[in-house]
Amino acid sequence: MRSVIRVLVSAFALWLTTLIVGGSGRHGVWIEPISGDDYSPLVTVLLVALVFGLVNGTLGRVLRFLSTPLYILTLGLFGLIVNGAMFAAVAWLSDIAGFGLRIETFWWGVLAALVLSILSGIMNGLLGSSKKKDR
């Protein structure tokens, strides 16, 4: 149940990120819906959040491990670049699919990753979905 809540929180944070960073139009970061019906933007945001979670859980772990010396050298600021790369990977995967997340440049992706991590951290903290269960 907690996984479903986390995906929904990520989807909502992703939608807010596209509104904050991208605005109303096709610049910065935006979501391109699957089709033209009423519920396609919602379904698209949920799919992109699921893909973002999968990419972050697989490729993100590998990149974070490999870039540990750069994390130490930059006191953690290299994490912004890694998160921007994750955003770019999700945009690339959704570009292959023909719908989903679009970013204008890599730096828009870095900014969007920063905003997304802040928003999802706040929402997960408020909902308590980031806490580990006591065993």
Side-chain angles (χ1 to χ4, degrees), residues 6-7 10-11 13-14 47-67 71 78-91 93 101 109 112-114 116-118 120-121 124:
R6 287 186 67 121
V7 169
S10 295
L14 181 67
L47 284 174
V48 170
L50 186 64
V51 169
F52 195 87
L54 292 173
V55 167
N56 205 13
T58 56
L59 182 64
R61 289 182 188 231
V62 173
L63 276 177
R64 283 182 189 90
F65 177 74
L66 292 176
S67 63
Y71 271 89
F78 192 72
L80 294 172
I81 304 300
V82 171
N83 288 339
M86 293 297 99
F87 229 83
V90 171
L93 286 172
L101 185 67
L114 178 65
L116 180 72
S117 65
I118 290 170
S120 59
N124 280 324

